Each structure stands twice: as structure tokens, then as C-alpha cells.
Amino acid sequence: MRKIAVVAGAMGAALMLAACGSGPAGGAGQAGGGRNVAPEDMRFVNVVKLVGVGWFDRMELGIQEFADGTGIDASQTGADDASPEKQVKVIQDLIAQRPTAIGVVPNSPESLEATLKRAKDQGIIVVTHEASNQQNVDVDIEAFDNKSYGAQIVKSLADCMGGTGQYAAFVGNLTAKTHMEWVEGGLEYAQQNYSGIERVVDPIESKEDESVAYERAKEILATYPDIKGFQGSAGTDVAGIARAVQEAGLTDKVCVMGTSIPSVAKKYLADGSIDKIFFWDPAMAGKAMMTIAQHLASGQQVANGTDLGIPGYESLTVSPDNPKVLYGNAAIEVDRSNVDQYPF
């Protein structure tokens, strides 16, 4: 029997500088050309990786709650698939509308640099999420330190595997910076702490699609019949992997863990084909993005210890590698014993 532990995930980083302005965090607390916009004149639009999936449906709820609570015109949009090219087009169309701020959860941070620079050059505030390498941005807000989060997942996965064996790691896209940081952080942790753990292949791309994850997992199970674990990154990865594991009759032999949300993973947690999921509340992340945009548009500082008034984002810290990247403390770890505590 695999032993499943429940640990409340919480991470942060040390040292924080002010995050603001069109340059590095630490200026006067203003962004988007230093504007001080009245709330009734603000318009924020959040652009996600794709629409129509549970993760970003939940994020949209947070955007709506922010709008209802502040009176600011805030909405969410995105393309119908996770194509970087389609996301660029969505943002280009938004720039022509001149909103006060654009939030972005990038499919490929690199592919957005020129477009986001154009937005900033036109005085639009840019706030990203899951994009710690984004350059043309005012602030990137992360739920936690990404490599530590990946290590947290693989520690649990390795323990479930009995400290030995092969595993495979999935990402939504190879260009998704945070997904790659999670699997890299997990691999580094395994190499440093479990001599008997081996990742069998480079990260496998699921295209943010449960059906693709399912097919790729079947291929891995056929190619590596002794595999003992899977790490998923996209919100739908573990569900697709779990289906493949179920069909192969390996529920009690293969450990499946990764990032997802309860509404996607609950039925698989119940039968044990998913052992544990890790996540942060995308609704709270969406509200954090919009609240930071509000601070910047109002000429306020986002500084060391800033409390956004949002669970998991009560005391922001800055990445030691990039002063534009802010961390919250919002990681959550769930198995079948506590999944009902999270109704989304």
C-alpha cells in the first residue's frame, strides 16, 4: 500500500524590493507610464493560455470577484487552444483597445516579448503569472518558488515509489517556463536525494490537452513497462495519465502526482489512480494579478511584505534572480482524504 501524506504546502523567498514601474521593481511604485488612474476609468483584461478548461474557468471566477469587489472593469479572454501564435494575436488585438492593464498567463514567454514591449511602450501596464523569465513586464506574480514546488512534488512521488524506480514528467508545453522549472526542480531534487530514482525521458509535451496526455502516457507505459511514477504539470495532465494507468490495470503499481485542481482530479483520487495533486487556487492568482495592476495604476507601491488581501498573497517576496518576479505563499497539497475541502 502506498502511503499518502497530507502536507500543507507553503513556500516563499527571502528579500524583497519594490516592484513597480516600467523598469525593475523598486521605483516610485508606478507603472504604465506613471499614470494615476481613477478606478472608474480603469479597464483590466486577463489573457490566459486557453479558454474552456477548468483551471482557467476558476481563474475567471477570481477576475469576476475582483471586478465585483472593486467596481473596476475587469474581464478575461484567451484563445481556443494553447497556441503561442493565437495568444499573441489576442494580445495584439487588445493593445489596439488601450486597456489600462493587461494580465497574461503565457504559453511561451519568449514569443510574447515583442508584443508586450509594444503594450508597455503604449503605456499599458503588464502583469504576468507563470512567467518568471518574462522581460517586458511590470510585475510577474508567482504563487511560490517554482523549483521548490517541483521538488515538493517529486519528493512525494519518490516516497510513493518507495525511493526507487523510473518516472516520467509531463509539461503542457516545452516553452511553458513554470512547467519546465517544476520538472527541472523535481529532477534536481531526485538526483540529489534518491540515487535509485530515474527520469526516463525528457519532459513530454501534452499541449495542455487531457487526451494528448492520455495517449502519451499509454506510449510511456508500453515503452517502459517497469515505470513506477508520473509527474504532471498542466492541469489536465494527471487526469489523462490516470486514465491510461487505469486502463492498464496499474492503479496500485504506478504513482501519479502533479499539478491539477480537485474538480479535474477528484474521481481519480477517489479510486487511487491519482495519488496526490498540488496546486494553488487560480481564482486567487487571478485576483492577485488584478490587484497588483490596480496598485500600479493607482500609483501605489508593491513592496517588501505587501499584503494584497488575498489568501496566499498576504506578504509578497521577490525572487533573488529577478526583481520583477514576486512570490506568494500559496501552494496547496491534496489527496483523497482532504480533497473535499476544495470545492473547485
Side-chain angles (χ1 to χ4, degrees):
M1 295 294 294
R2 287 170 284 168
K3 186 176 180 180
I4 301 173
V6 180
V7 182
M11 307 174 196
L15 184 62
M16 174 71 183
L17 303 175
C20 54
S22 56
Q30 299 179 348
R35 291 182 295 169
N36 193 342
V37 184
E40 60 270 21
D41 296 325
M42 294 179 187
R43 178 175 175 241
F44 301 163
V45 183
N46 193 44
V47 181
V48 295
K49 294 180 179 180
L50 75 166
V51 297
V53 296
W55 186 271
F56 293 117
D57 288 346
R58 176 69 180 177
M59 181 170 281
E60 186 170 21
L61 177 62
I63 304 298
Q64 293 170 348
E65 290 178 352
F66 170 83
D68 292 342
T70 62
I72 293 171
D73 180 358
S75 61
Q76 181 166 293
T77 189
D80 57 3
D81 63 40
S83 161
E85 294 78 14
K86 286 188 178 180
Q87 191 174 51
V88 166
K89 181 63 166 60
V90 170
I91 297 171
Q92 287 174 338
D93 291 344
L94 275 176
I95 291 171
Q97 301 172 29
R98 297 295 300 272
T100 312
I102 295 175
V104 189
V105 187
N107 286 305
S108 170
E110 292 84 357
S111 72
L112 292 181
E113 290 295 4
T115 302
L116 296 185
K117 182 178 188 304
R118 180 182 166 200
K120 286 175 58 60
D121 287 347
Q122 295 194 29
I124 298 170
I125 295 165
V126 177
V127 179
T128 56
H129 177 57
E130 297 189 53
S132 61
N133 62 332
Q134 199 76 62
Q135 298 301 309
N136 288 296
V137 64
D138 292 289
V139 171
D140 175 74
I141 179 68
E142 300 292 320
F144 36 67
D145 175 78
N146 288 310
K147 286 202 170 183
S148 296
Y149 175 75
Q152 179 185 359
I153 294 172
V154 170
K155 180 183 185 303
S156 289
L157 183 65
D159 290 345
C160 178
M161 293 166 58
T164 63
Q166 300 172 326
Y167 82 99
F170 282 47
V171 295
N173 287 285
L174 295 174
T175 55
K177 174 67 172 176
T178 51
H179 290 194
M180 294 301 289
E181 287 181 330
W182 299 341
V183 298
E184 288 165 8
L187 179 61
E188 289 172 6
Y189 184 86
Q191 291 173 336
Q192 293 167 7
N193 295 277
Y194 295 91
S195 60
I197 295 287
E198 175 195 7
R199 195 179 78 186
V200 293
V201 291
D202 290 338
I204 300 161
E205 196 171 45
S206 69
K207 301 294 185 183
E208 301 273 346
D209 188 319
E210 181 178 331
S211 296
V212 175
Y214 164 70
E215 294 294 341
R216 298 291 180 268
K218 288 201 300 182
E219 293 169 6
I220 290 293
L221 289 168
T223 305
Y224 301 95
D226 295 326
I227 197 163
K228 293 174 66 176
F230 286 89
Q231 174 189 3
S233 298
T236 51
D237 281 351
V238 289
I241 294 165
R243 272 208 294 148
V245 168
Q246 273 184 341
E247 289 181 5
L250 297 171
T251 297
D252 294 326
K253 296 181 179 179
V254 176
C255 300
V256 178
M257 298 186 184
T259 302
S260 192
I261 53 175
S263 61
V264 172
K266 186 174 181 178
K267 66 179 181 179
Y268 299 110
L269 286 165
D271 68 16
S273 52
I274 294 175
D275 296 276
K276 193 181 291 187
I277 60 171
F278 304 75
F279 59 97
W280 63 105
D281 187 342
M284 298 302 102
K287 290 177 76 171
M289 294 171 73
M290 297 297 96
T291 302
I292 288 172
Q294 180 185 15
H295 275 57
L296 300 180
S298 302
Q300 300 178 37
Q301 276 195 334
V302 183
N304 185 32
T306 291
D307 181 358
L308 297 181
I310 300 165
Y313 302 88
E314 297 95 343
S315 182
L316 301 182
T317 56
V318 71
S319 164
D321 300 319
N322 184 348
K324 293 182 181 180
V325 177
L326 310 182
Y327 294 137
N329 190 17
I332 302 168
E333 189 170 323
V334 162
D335 64 16
R336 60 186 166 193
S337 71
N338 67 333
V339 66
D340 289 334
Q341 297 177 25
Y342 302 93
F344 59 85

